[in-house]
């Protein structure tokens, strides 16, 4: 597998690759992950981690040019090259950009599977210039050269059929029911207790709709805090813009990138979780939030509404006024919030089971021509 940065919580793709790979290893398969070299968003202490085997997964770190726009391209090129010459039955590529190089392992007789985690060229940071052209060509190369394409939503499945006449396989992401954590670290670090805050957790990028969330929340009358948890992507420019927008409201808190017990406590003790995105692939953070029994408030994009069905609150995408109105209502309607909380975990864990998804993926490997 390649396309991920490394086996971490750095982003949704990284989580998916780790979940798939660890379970496939447990089933007796040999899995090699080609990871990027270089900086890790979790901190400098992770940068030198070059373990050759991690949870039974073989890890190889490929040469990576650490310049904006070149890290993913260079790492994907070398990963594709190494996969082409390796003794592998299947090469599984994650995301449209890395799929640009799917013809290389295909040329050497490998079965090639591409998972499209979202229509990446639509993301704000990649809408123009070289990156946009590269990712769009990656999408086209996936259509032309891959044996199978996996998509994570029905909307993306329709897009490939309408745009290219290419049939794809819908295999969503999964989630595992977690253990609930009492507030300890988050109380000590941020003064947060159970049900005292609204949580956003994800990468700080424009398409996540965080601007709307901040604008809406500043006009909501509540003593609850708004916690923005997550690291920036590539640069801190957008994160700094968000902090500037939040100035003057002491209820808004930025934690930066979180993981481990702190992450688990944030999920476990939120009053509600919100994902106001304009664009998603299949939001793993939303699955995770529901698995912790959270009442969720999401934008009405298909990628969110397909996940939550009628088990969450929904507002109009990009509509600050509708988001503000819904936030105000949930802050005074604890009974409605509690009803959705009680339904969330059972619903999501039964709907998206990792073990079933891994089995379906392995069957797709076997069927690929």
């Amino acid at each position: 597998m390649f396309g991920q940065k490394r086996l971490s919580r750095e982003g949704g793709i990284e989580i998916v690759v780790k979940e798939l790979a660890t379970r496939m290893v447990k089933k007796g398969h040999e899995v090699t992950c080609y990871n990027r070299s270089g900086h890790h968003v979790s901190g400098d202490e992770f940068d030198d981690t070059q373990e050759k085997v991690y949870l039974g997964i073989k890890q190889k770190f490929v040469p990576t040019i650490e310049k904006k726009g070149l890290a993913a391209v260079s790492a994907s090129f070398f990963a594709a090259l190494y996969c082409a010459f390796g003794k592998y039955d299947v090469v599984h590529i994650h995301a449209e950009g890395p799929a640009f190089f799917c013809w290389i392992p295909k040329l050497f007789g490998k079965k090639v599977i591409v998972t499209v985690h979202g229509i990446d060229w639509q993301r704000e940071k990649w809408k123009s210039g070289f990156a946009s052209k590269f990712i769009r060509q990656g999408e086209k190369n996936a259509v032309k050269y891959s044996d199978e394409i996996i998509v994570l939503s029905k909307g993306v499945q329709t897009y490939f059929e309408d745009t290219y006449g290419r049939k794809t396989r819908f295999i969503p992401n999964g989630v595992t029911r977690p253990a609930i954590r009492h507030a300890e670290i988050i109380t000590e670090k941020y003064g947060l207790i159970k049900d005292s805050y609204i949580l956003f957790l994800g990468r700080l990028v424009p398409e996540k709709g965080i601007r709307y969330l901040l604008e809406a929340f500043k006009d909501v009358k509540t003593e609850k805090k708004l916690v923005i948890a997550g690291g920036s992507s590539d640069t801190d420019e957008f994160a700094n813009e968000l902090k500037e927008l939040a100035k003057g409201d002491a209820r808004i808190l930025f934690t930066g990138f979180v993981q481990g017990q702190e992450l688990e406590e944030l999920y476990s003790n939120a009053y509600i979780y919100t994902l106001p995105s304009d664009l998603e692939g299949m939001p793993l953070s939303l699955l995770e939030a529901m698995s912790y029994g959270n009442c969720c408030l999401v934008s009405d994009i298909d990628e969110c509404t397909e996940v939550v069905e009628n088990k969450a609150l929904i507002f109009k995408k990009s509509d600050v006024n509708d988001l503000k109105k819904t936030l105000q209502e949930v802050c005074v309607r604890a009974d409605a919030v509690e009803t959705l909380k009680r339904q969330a975990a059972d619903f999501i864990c039964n709907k998206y089971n990792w073990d079933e998804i891994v089995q379906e993926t392995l069957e797709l490997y076997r069927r690929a021509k």
Side-chain angles (χ1 to χ4, degrees):
M1 296 191 193
F2 71 88
Q4 74 285 351
K5 294 182 182 76
R6 67 210 84 212
L7 300 175
S8 67
R9 286 197 59 92
E10 202 156 333
I13 291 174
E14 286 72 31
I15 295 169
V16 169
V17 169
K18 183 177 175 181
E19 293 287 352
L20 291 174
T22 50
R23 283 170 168 78
M24 288 177 183
V25 166
K26 284 179 182 174
K27 287 178 172 288
H29 301 281
E30 289 186 13
V31 182
T32 302
C33 287
Y34 285 89
N35 303 333
R36 292 190 206 175
S37 302
H39 181 62
H40 192 294
V41 73
S42 303
D44 294 341
E45 67 271 24
F46 291 87
D47 290 347
D48 296 325
T49 301
Q50 299 276 315
E51 297 175 78
K52 290 185 178 177
V53 179
Y54 173 72
L55 299 176
I57 305 159
K58 295 176 183 175
Q59 292 193 111
K60 296 184 187 292
F61 291 82
V62 298
T64 305
I65 301 169
E66 285 203 77
K67 282 192 174 181
K68 188 179 179 183
L70 291 178
V73 174
S74 57
S76 298
F77 168 72
F78 285 111
L81 206 57
Y82 294 154
C83 287
F85 288 99
K87 294 181 179 179
Y88 307 118
D89 301 307
V90 175
V91 175
H92 190 158
I93 304 170
H94 292 266
E96 291 187 328
F100 181 94
F101 299 107
C102 66
W103 59 272
I104 299 176
K106 185 67 184 171
L107 191 65
F108 285 78
K110 304 294 191 292
K111 284 185 184 180
V112 176
I113 312 294
V114 172
T115 293
V116 174
H117 290 258
I119 309 302
D120 288 336
W121 54 264
Q122 294 178 351
R123 299 185 190 279
E124 190 164 319
K125 70 173 181 175
W126 290 322
K127 272 191 172 177
S128 61
F130 168 75
S132 176
K133 291 183 176 68
F134 177 79
I135 292 167
R136 279 178 180 255
Q137 190 59 48
E139 181 177 289
K140 291 173 183 175
N141 286 359
V143 169
K144 186 174 182 180
Y145 297 108
S146 68
D147 295 284
E148 294 285 356
I149 297 175
I150 296 171
V151 296
L152 307 180
S153 74
K154 300 289 188 183
V156 173
Q157 191 168 41
T158 301
Y159 166 81
F160 273 89
E161 183 110 39
D162 291 349
T163 307
Y164 302 104
R166 173 72 194 247
K167 293 202 177 296
T168 58
R169 304 299 179 103
F170 170 65
I171 304 179
N173 292 328
V175 72
T176 303
R177 190 185 293 262
I180 305 300
R181 292 266 196 179
H182 293 297
E184 295 174 0
I185 294 173
I186 61 172
T187 304
E188 187 180 329
K189 284 181 77 169
Y190 312 114
L192 300 173
I193 58 174
K194 186 163 181 60
D195 291 337
S196 70
Y197 60 95
I198 294 162
L199 176 65
F200 166 87
L201 193 147
R203 286 178 302 119
L204 305 188
V205 290
E207 62 266 19
K208 294 287 186 184
I210 313 167
R211 281 195 199 100
Y212 316 133
L213 178 58
L214 293 174
E215 289 170 13
F217 181 78
K218 287 174 84 170
D219 289 332
V220 172
K221 295 176 174 61
T222 181
E223 293 183 1
K224 295 189 188 300
K225 293 182 178 179
L226 173 63
V227 176
I228 307 292
S232 57
S233 182
D234 289 335
T235 72
D236 291 326
E237 186 180 337
F238 183 66
N240 292 335
E241 182 187 322
L242 294 175
K243 288 170 186 174
E244 191 64 32
L245 185 58
K247 267 187 180 177
D249 194 327
R251 300 170 302 167
I252 301 172
L253 168 69
F254 291 84
T255 68
F257 180 79
V258 292
Q259 58 187 343
Q261 186 176 336
E262 184 176 337
L263 172 77
E264 293 162 8
E265 288 183 20
L266 283 171
Y267 272 139
S268 295
N269 296 283
Y271 179 64
I272 66 166
Y273 171 85
T274 184
L275 188 65
S277 299
D278 288 336
L279 180 69
E280 284 288 349
M282 184 186 186
L284 269 168
S285 60
L286 177 56
L287 271 65
E288 289 180 340
M290 292 189 80
S291 75
Y292 277 88
N294 276 294
C295 168
C296 292
L297 168 60
V298 301
S299 58
D300 62 356
I301 61 174
D302 290 345
E303 290 79 4
C304 287
T305 57
E306 280 178 21
V307 169
V308 302
E309 296 183 22
N310 63 346
K311 300 295 191 292
L313 303 166
I314 297 167
F315 76 97
K316 292 175 191 170
K317 179 190 88 166
S318 311
D319 191 326
V320 174
N321 288 329
D322 194 38
L323 177 54
K324 179 179 72 175
K325 177 185 166 190
T326 312
L327 282 169
Q328 190 65 71
E329 285 175 1
V330 298
C331 284
V332 296
R333 287 288 313 277
D335 55 334
V337 170
E338 190 56 39
T339 298
L340 287 169
K341 282 187 171 189
R342 283 196 299 269
Q343 300 173 9
D346 285 345
F347 165 75
I348 209 72
C349 293
N350 290 333
K351 185 177 179 183
Y352 299 109
N353 181 287
W354 267 126
D355 291 329
E356 292 174 7
I357 287 158
V358 167
Q359 192 57 42
E360 200 172 341
T361 305
L362 289 171
E363 287 168 10
L364 185 65
Y365 290 173
R366 294 188 188 100
R367 289 198 305 267
K369 294 178 182 177

